[in-house]
């Protein structure tokens, strides 16, 4: 028997996990990645450092396994722009999906109709850190960098190229923002709307679903594994997490409470209102005819980290603080938009900013933290309303490690939340896809069986219904102010 090592290359952490036949982790390792914060809201990553994290965790997990490694399954962060030459070497630091250098450009595109035109063609709402505005910004300010590049891709396919020499991209990553999800082909009119027709050759052609590649000599040396070992790459972390959590039926959804808040709903219909709010995206899955309506908001655990730094408290005390302040946070209300890049779902506004109201001298850190957690849960409800959640809701991410915050999510959403027992949900999804690609699929239902369900409190849910109405009214008023 062999084991597949799943590797989830996150924004701040790379994790590798190997699972048994029941979907339980038998070996795992993680190591941090480095984010470089620069003036002007710029956020970058070093490809060599990221590749190094992959080598570190794969070697550690392989050393722990009693069985030989049969394959490596990659997933990881999406969006941003990872520019490389034909040999996989970075021609500049990767521009992270968190980056805000294209804020002003995106505002121009929103006012001038470019964002609406692209959304009307691909169902993809652009935000500052996605490929359209980032590439256009670089084309204007660093054309020589694009001239040196052979491919403008994403994190997972950048690592794949270093391990296998292949230049391609998973269809889920390619969805943003130039791919027509129904045809799985790039929409040349959407590329032209972004002024990037002359850079079309930088976009790698999507691989067929469940494609299998092979470690080359360089990749084998990096990972300490045999050359020729099968490697899969994709889907990226959002759809991989949905697959790993157990999302199987149209209408089912997943809440990922990570650095940011990702809300997704499985659907068999890729049609959308071209005149609707140009936000969110349709992600192609490995199964043709199935898509994830994704609303990846910029709010999330990064906001809680900010609050902890402000108050000088440990993140581990969040549950204690939430227990000290009841539903409604003693009258304190919040809008949680703390990202320097604004918001990207279920609306796009680079000028979106946080606010707190109802504060008095009687309030303390517990009330402010609870108001922030409740507002992020309201943002999740807003996203799921837009995405069309109607079935079972699953959840993963660091935020659901807090029982108190998970309860707030359940109460605000007014529905039970199913939480897989193993934390490596993205890696689980990558391994499940890889096993099917290799012709030895695991029992997905068996893997999903080890989970727990958090029920919602009907009385709290009733309270939060009116709180959500207040949130929406505050948001509508704030969006008018952000335009001034």
């Amino acid at each position: 028997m062999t084991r597949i090592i799943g590797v989830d290359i996150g924004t701040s952490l790379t994790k590798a996990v190997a699972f048994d036949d029941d979907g339980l982790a038998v070996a795992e390792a993680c190591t941090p990645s480095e984010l470089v914060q620069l003036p002007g809201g710029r956020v970058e990553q070093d490809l060599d450092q990221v590749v190094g994290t992959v080598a570190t965790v794969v070697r550690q997990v392989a050393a722990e396994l009693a069985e030989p490694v049969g394959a490596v399954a990659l997933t990881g962060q999406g969006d941003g722009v990872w520019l490389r030459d034909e040999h996989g070497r970075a021609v500049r630091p990767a521009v992270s999906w968190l980056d805000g250098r294209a804020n002003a450009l995106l505002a121009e595109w929103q006012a001038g109709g470019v964002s609406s035109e692209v959304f009307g063609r691909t169902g993809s709402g652009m935000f500052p850190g996605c490929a359209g505005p980032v590439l256009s910004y670089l084309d204007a300010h660093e054309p020589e960098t694009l001239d040196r590049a052979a491919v403008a891709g994403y994190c997972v396919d950048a690592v794949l190229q270093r391990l296998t020499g292949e230049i391609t991209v998973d269809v889920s990553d390619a969805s943003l923002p130039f791919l027509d999800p129904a045809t799985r082909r790039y929409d040349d009119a959407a590329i032209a709307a972004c002024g990037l027709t002359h850079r079309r050759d930088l976009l790698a052609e999507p691989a067929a679903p469940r494609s299998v590649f092979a470690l080359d000599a360089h990749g084998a040396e990096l990972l300490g594994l045999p050359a020729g070992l099968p490697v899969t790459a994709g889907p990226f972390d959002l759809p991989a997490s949905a697959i790993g959590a157990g999302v199987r039926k149209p209408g089912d959804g997943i809440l990922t409470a990570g650095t940011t808040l990702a809300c997704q709903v499985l659907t068999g219909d890729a049609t959308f209102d071209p005149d609707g709010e140009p936000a969110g995206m349709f992600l192609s899955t490995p199964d043709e005819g199935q898509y994830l309506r994704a609303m990846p908001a910029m709010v999330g655990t990064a906001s809680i980290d900010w609050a902890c730094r402000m108050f000088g408290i440990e993140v581990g005390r969040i549950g204690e603080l939430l227990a000290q302040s009841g539903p409604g946070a003693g009258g304190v209300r919040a809008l949680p938009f703390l990202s320097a890049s604004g918001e990207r779902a279920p609306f796009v506004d680079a000028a979106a900013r946080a606010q707190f109201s109802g504060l008095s001298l009687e309030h303390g850190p517990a009330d402010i933290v609870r108001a922030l957690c409740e507002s992020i849960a309201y943002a999740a409800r807003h996203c799921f309303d837009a995405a069309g959640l109607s079935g079972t809701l699953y959840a993963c991410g660091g935020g659901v490690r807090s029982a108190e915050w998970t309860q707030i999510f359940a109460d605000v959403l007014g529905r039970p939340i199913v939480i897989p027992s193993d934390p490596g949900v993205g890696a689980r999804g990558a391994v499940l896809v890889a096993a099917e690609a290799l012709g030895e699929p695991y029992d997905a239902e068996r893997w999903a069986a080890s989970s727990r369900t958090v029920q919602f409190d009907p009385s709290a849910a009733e309270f939060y219904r009116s709180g959500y109405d207040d949130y929406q009214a505050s948001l509508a008023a704030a969006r008018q102010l952000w335009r001034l």
Side-chain angles (χ1 to χ4, degrees):
M1 177 183 294
T2 62
R3 294 291 178 198
I4 300 172
I5 298 179
V7 184
D8 189 351
I9 314 162
T11 305
S12 57
L13 192 74
T14 296
K15 182 172 186 176
V17 190
F19 302 92
D20 66 14
D21 292 343
D22 294 317
L24 300 176
V26 294
E28 58 185 296
C30 63
T31 193
S33 290
E34 297 172 4
L35 278 174
V36 180
Q37 306 276 351
L38 299 169
R42 302 176 183 220
V43 184
E44 298 182 345
Q45 288 194 272
D46 182 279
L47 175 57
D48 288 340
Q49 195 272 332
V50 171
V51 171
T53 67
V54 174
T56 296
V57 296
V58 169
R59 284 175 173 270
Q60 289 179 4
V61 168
E64 292 181 27
L65 292 175
E67 308 89 349
V69 177
V72 174
L74 303 176
T75 186
Q77 59 178 296
D79 295 306
V81 171
W82 296 62
L83 290 163
R84 299 103 64 189
D85 64 17
E86 62 272 18
H87 302 294
R89 295 185 295 255
V91 300
R92 73 171 323 282
V95 178
S96 169
W97 60 273
L98 289 164
D99 194 88
R101 74 190 68 198
N103 283 5
L105 174 62
L106 184 66
E108 292 176 10
W109 283 4
Q110 289 174 318
V114 173
S115 295
S116 295
E117 181 177 354
V118 172
F119 180 79
R121 301 195 66 85
T122 68
S124 182
M126 291 190 291
F127 64 98
C130 79
V134 171
L135 278 174
S136 186
Y137 180 94
L138 294 176
D139 189 48
H141 297 275
E142 297 181 25
E144 69 286 351
T145 300
L146 297 188
D147 292 341
R148 294 197 305 271
V151 57
Y154 307 91
C155 177
V156 177
D157 56 274
V159 174
L160 176 73
Q161 186 181 0
R162 293 288 283 271
L163 297 181
T164 68
E166 299 285 348
I167 297 178
T168 187
V169 62
D170 184 76
V171 70
S172 62
D173 255 329
S175 299
L176 313 170
F178 303 126
L179 198 81
D180 180 335
T183 65
R184 296 181 181 237
R185 295 179 180 176
Y186 291 119
D187 186 294
D188 288 333
I191 296 171
C194 296
L196 292 169
T197 299
H198 63 298
R199 300 295 187 182
R200 170 67 175 79
D201 62 331
L202 292 177
L203 303 179
E205 291 303 316
R210 301 184 179 87
S211 290
V212 180
F213 307 94
L215 273 184
D216 63 14
H218 176 67
E221 183 179 359
L222 275 171
L223 302 187
L225 296 173
L229 190 80
V231 180
T232 61
F236 82 100
D237 58 4
L238 292 190
S241 293
I243 294 167
V247 172
R248 301 281 183 270
K249 301 175 183 176
D252 287 354
I254 180 170
L255 165 69
T256 303
T259 303
T260 57
L261 185 76
C263 302
Q264 305 175 81
V265 176
L266 188 66
T267 178
D269 185 2
T271 60
F272 53 91
D273 179 4
D275 298 319
E277 177 115 34
M281 64 275 299
F282 281 91
L283 301 177
S284 297
T285 73
D287 296 311
E288 291 196 26
Q290 286 203 333
Y291 315 89
L292 284 159
R293 185 72 173 113
M295 293 288 168
M298 297 296 286
V299 301
T301 58
S303 301
I304 307 306
D305 293 340
W306 169 85
C308 289
R309 290 195 303 273
M310 290 289 289
F311 292 120
I313 58 178
E314 297 293 327
V315 174
R317 289 190 57 206
I318 288 299
E320 172 190 334
L321 290 173
L322 292 176
Q324 292 173 11
S325 179
V332 180
R333 299 173 183 173
L335 294 179
F337 310 110
L338 285 158
S339 170
S341 299
E343 185 51 279
R344 62 175 177 171
F347 63 91
V348 177
D349 195 328
R353 292 296 181 267
Q355 67 181 45
F356 291 86
S357 62
L359 282 167
S360 74
L361 293 173
E362 296 179 353
H363 293 112
D367 300 308
I368 295 173
V369 168
R370 183 165 189 114
L372 190 56
C373 288
E374 289 180 347
S375 69
I376 294 171
Y378 289 140
R381 179 169 173 177
H382 193 184
C383 287
F384 280 123
D385 284 351
L389 176 65
S390 61
T392 302
L393 178 61
Y394 299 83
C396 64
V400 298
R401 293 175 192 158
S402 164
E404 294 81 3
W405 197 10
T406 304
Q407 190 63 56
I408 290 174
F409 277 119
D411 294 342
V412 167
L413 292 166
R415 61 174 63 238
I417 299 178
V418 179
I419 302 175
S421 61
D422 192 276
V425 176
R428 284 164 63 93
V431 168
L432 286 169
V433 172
E436 192 165 347
L438 294 169
E440 299 178 2
Y442 288 101
D443 184 337
E445 296 303 324
R446 183 176 170 185
W447 274 42
S450 55
S451 61
R452 61 186 175 88
T453 300
V454 176
Q455 300 292 340
F456 70 96
D457 181 334
S459 61
E462 180 64 31
F463 174 86
Y464 282 127
R465 269 193 282 272
S466 61
Y468 181 62
D469 291 340
D470 291 340
Y471 170 86
Q472 286 283 20
S474 297
L475 176 58
R479 293 187 69 180
Q480 294 299 317
L481 292 174
W482 296 334
R483 295 190 179 101
L484 298 178

